[in-house]
Amino acid sequence: MVKVKIEPGLYDRARRAAAAAGYSSLDEFIADCIEKGIQRQKIEEQEGPVSDQLRGLGYIE
Amino acid sequence: MPSEIIVVSGLPRSGTSLMMQMLDRGGVPVVTDVIREADVDNPRGYYEFERVKKIKDDAAWIPEARGKAVKMVSQLLYDLPSSENYLVIFMERDLDEVLLSQEKMLERLNRSSAPRDQIKPAFVRHLNQLRVWLAAQRHIALLDVRYNDLVAHPEQQAARVSAFLGGRADVQAMAAAVDPALYRNRKPSGEQSV
């Protein structure tokens, strides 16, 4: 495991968001956010035409 | 109340609205805001929930969807929080029929559609990658339902769906929601596609 530093304000907001979304811990929430961020970056790189079509049809923003 | 969230997914125009309608008729609570109203493309309504489109930035509504069904286009499945468990009903339909239907819808919306020879391989890649990702998700259980099978054998497919959901949906009521007259964008008979 490694440690990452974040601002106290962001920490508090993340803690509230994790609780609201039903995560069992802040660690789980942050790990999920990072996974999603990496996945989103990959999708945006590889799925540009699909995203454009879905956006045109009104299924994503 | 069951804690899993039922997600009806697939490509646009693959029968996701029909599946939502079936679940609704079958007694499964559905999450919808009726903001996107019924039109010529979906005469019985879209069964959408606007906040789904913003799930990347706001997933606070997710816990409230436990035990209910929500419709979500395939690309947004990646954004489901892993803190919940999901029963995903994935609608499959011939890709040429899906694209034909999408093209007609885009035309009615006065929006441009990518050329078929470019968008088709992009959708194939998207579906292949999604399948690999789905298979690795421990918090997601998956049931594939083929649109053509649904139209041809509604009771059989409704029974499969109900069993997947633990028997909580009324099979007869679900099957009665299927109207073959709404299967409009067919590819010419005899033509094969991926």
Side-chain angles (χ1 to χ4, degrees), chain B residues 6 19 22-23 26 28 87 89 143 145 154-172 174:
Chain B
I6 302 163
M19 180 53 67
M22 290 175 68
L23 295 175
V28 176
L87 299 173
I89 301 170
L143 177 74
V145 177
E155 277 195 33
Q156 187 185 71
Q157 296 304 311
R160 283 183 68 225
V161 172
S162 184
F164 178 65
L165 303 180
R168 79 184 82 160
D170 181 325
V171 172
Q172 297 298 325
M174 286 176 76

Side-chain angles (χ1 to χ4, degrees), chain A residues 12-26 29, chain B residues 60 63 66:
Chain A
D12 286 339
R13 284 192 291 132
R15 203 176 49 181
R16 285 196 294 271
Y23 285 85
S24 61
S25 70
L26 182 57
F29 173 69
Chain B
R66 290 174 189 146

